[in-house]
Amino acid sequence: MSTDKIRVFQVATGNLGTEMISRIRNHPDLELVGLHCYTPDKIGRDAGEIVGIDPVGVIATGTVAEIIAARPDVLTFHGVFPDEDLYEKVLEAGINVVTTADWITGYHRDTNHPHPSGRKVSEVIAAACERGDATFYGTGMNPGLAQILGIVHSADVADIENVTVTESVDVSCHHSVDTWKAVGYGRPVDDPAIPESLHKYTAVFADSVYLMADAFGLELDEVTFGYELGACTEDVDLGWYFLPKGSLGANYIKYQGLVDGVPRVESHLEWQMTPHTDPAWKIKGCYITQITGDPNIYSKHMVFPRKGVDLSDPASFASIGMTVTGMPALHSLRSVVAARPGIITSADLPLRSFAGRFKL
């Protein structure tokens, strides 16, 4: 493979995008050549200044025309919500796109977010890829790498009966008030709108089930959504968010891929904002793969901070979460640039796409 650095144009500097600026700067494969921002007061400023590090010599811009004029090899999109108009314009200009926003296979976007044109979102993106001879790929930690780990752990299993990947995490370190309000945390647990809110903001996990099923050669009849809600047993003040007694403070969500009514491939989300809920789940702070078959597999993917990190600082936890979300995208970029044109998934990429890089 080429040793030339991949020229990267990043979109957005929220929690994830902020972390990725420094990660790109230090990545041996990558060169940051541009930053696209939606907030007017960020445009015209150095990317390093925006994210709180030393200047990096890249000035933030705000138009798609400026992205195209920079001629990057790939655009990394780290916005909270997709910008499909931007995707289409960039792809048809011949620039590859890797996104961490709401996309793994495209099933969720096609099913739940009709494109203004009336076509499926995947059809719009695929057509743009064809016009520009470009590639589009979506990944992250979960959904994304967590399901790849689930697939890989099945390599030594015969006669698989069930594969379940579970994210068991405390989410209180993710200081995004708007996100958690939208999901339903802090609202009375009997609020009838909460289940739909949870489904709306986690529906991309259906993609993760279809990704695994595809790797296993399994034809699913459907993917179902199920949930349990944990009500706060006392008032909880997190400092940045307040959860009244009786409000949603934890949840257990299941996306299950069924064949003849039997769950075969599953993605679970075991989240808590506080341990003071009823019911409460024993949060393990990791990603768990469980495979029922011959033999059975139980594996924990545990993430720890590097030596010297101050764990008393909530920002340290947030940084770890953003790092493991964004790095699968950054490590994939060389392989994506080399990949065939069109929409691809993790099943289309070589093993090196999931490999980190040594610091030498």
Side-chain angles (χ1 to χ4, degrees):
M1 298 181 72
S2 170
T3 57
D4 293 341
K5 289 198 172 188
I6 302 298
R7 291 166 45 80
V8 183
F9 206 116
Q10 179 174 302
V11 174
T13 54
N15 291 329
L16 178 54
T18 292
E19 187 72 34
M20 288 303 102
I21 292 293
S22 61
R23 299 300 182 179
I24 292 173
R25 182 184 61 174
N26 296 326
H27 197 292
D29 291 0
L30 309 178
E31 177 188 2
L32 183 69
V33 299
L35 173 65
H36 177 86
C37 290
Y38 294 100
T39 307
D41 65 4
K42 293 181 180 181
I43 295 170
R45 296 166 58 194
D46 187 276
E49 176 198 348
I50 292 171
V51 304
I53 61 176
D54 292 336
V56 298
V58 171
I59 303 302
T61 56
T63 69
V64 174
E66 289 166 305
I67 297 173
I68 295 170
R71 303 307 304 165
D73 298 308
V74 63
L75 178 139
T76 54
F77 186 91
H78 299 309
V80 176
F81 300 107
D83 186 339
E84 286 145 1
D85 182 59
L86 180 147
Y87 295 163
E88 184 177 12
K89 292 174 181 175
V90 169
L91 289 165
E92 67 184 6
I95 299 166
N96 305 293
V97 173
V98 173
T99 179
T100 54
D102 221 29
W103 186 286
I104 297 295
T105 67
Y107 169 83
H108 157 58
R109 298 301 300 181
D110 283 348
T111 303
N112 301 311
H113 296 274
H115 192 267
S117 68
R119 293 177 293 166
K120 291 182 177 180
V121 174
S122 61
E123 292 174 351
V124 173
I125 291 175
C129 288
E130 184 176 358
R131 293 194 299 273
D133 198 32
T135 304
F136 182 85
Y137 173 57
T139 190
M141 178 62 221
N142 190 34
L145 180 60
Q147 286 70 42
I148 300 304
L149 294 172
I151 293 165
V152 170
H153 277 94
S154 74
D156 53 1
V157 180
D159 304 321
I160 298 172
E161 297 175 20
N162 177 277
V163 177
T164 297
V165 174
T166 301
E167 178 180 77
S168 179
V169 295
D170 186 303
V171 295
S172 63
C173 63
H174 184 54
H175 295 186
S176 177
V177 173
D178 290 343
T179 296
W180 296 116
K181 278 185 177 179
V183 171
Y185 275 75
R187 300 210 304 259
V189 76
D190 58 358
D191 185 331
I194 286 179
E196 180 53 35
S197 295
L198 284 171
H199 181 251
K200 178 179 179 181
Y201 290 102
T202 63
V204 70
F205 284 90
D207 278 29
S208 74
V209 173
Y210 280 112
L211 173 67
M212 291 191 289
D214 175 58
F216 295 128
L218 194 64
E219 187 73 28
L220 299 178
D221 297 326
E222 62 175 329
V223 175
T224 62
F225 166 75
Y227 63 92
E228 296 177 70
L229 306 178
C232 292
T233 56
E234 58 187 59
D235 287 348
V236 177
D237 188 351
L238 297 172
W240 62 275
Y241 201 54
F242 182 77
L243 302 168
K245 181 178 179 178
S247 70
L248 179 65
N251 64 253
Y252 197 104
I253 290 174
K254 295 181 180 180
Y255 283 90
Q256 297 179 300
L258 307 183
V259 179
D260 295 330
V262 178
R264 295 297 189 181
V265 185
E266 308 183 43
S267 284
H268 295 185
L269 304 172
E270 187 177 59
W271 290 348
Q272 73 171 28
M273 194 73 74
T274 170
H276 304 295
T277 65
D278 182 25
W281 293 272
K282 188 175 181 180
I283 297 301
K284 302 170 185 67
C286 62
Y287 298 86
I288 301 167
T289 296
Q290 293 175 273
I291 302 177
T292 305
D294 180 17
N296 296 316
I297 302 292
Y298 183 95
S299 177
K300 288 182 178 180
H301 180 72
M302 306 189 75
V303 180
F304 299 96
R306 60 180 172 80
K307 186 177 180 179
V309 171
D310 180 9
L311 291 181
S312 67
D313 182 359
S316 297
F317 284 100
S319 174
I320 295 168
M322 295 304 102
T323 296
V324 300
T325 298
M327 291 311 297
L330 297 192
H331 289 321
S332 76
L333 296 184
R334 186 173 293 280
S335 294
V336 171
V337 170
R340 63 164 176 81
I343 298 172
I344 63 172
T345 72
S346 296
D348 299 305
L349 291 175
L351 182 61
R352 62 172 54 90
S353 308
F354 311 110
R357 300 295 185 269
F358 281 86
K359 183 178 181 179
L360 301 176

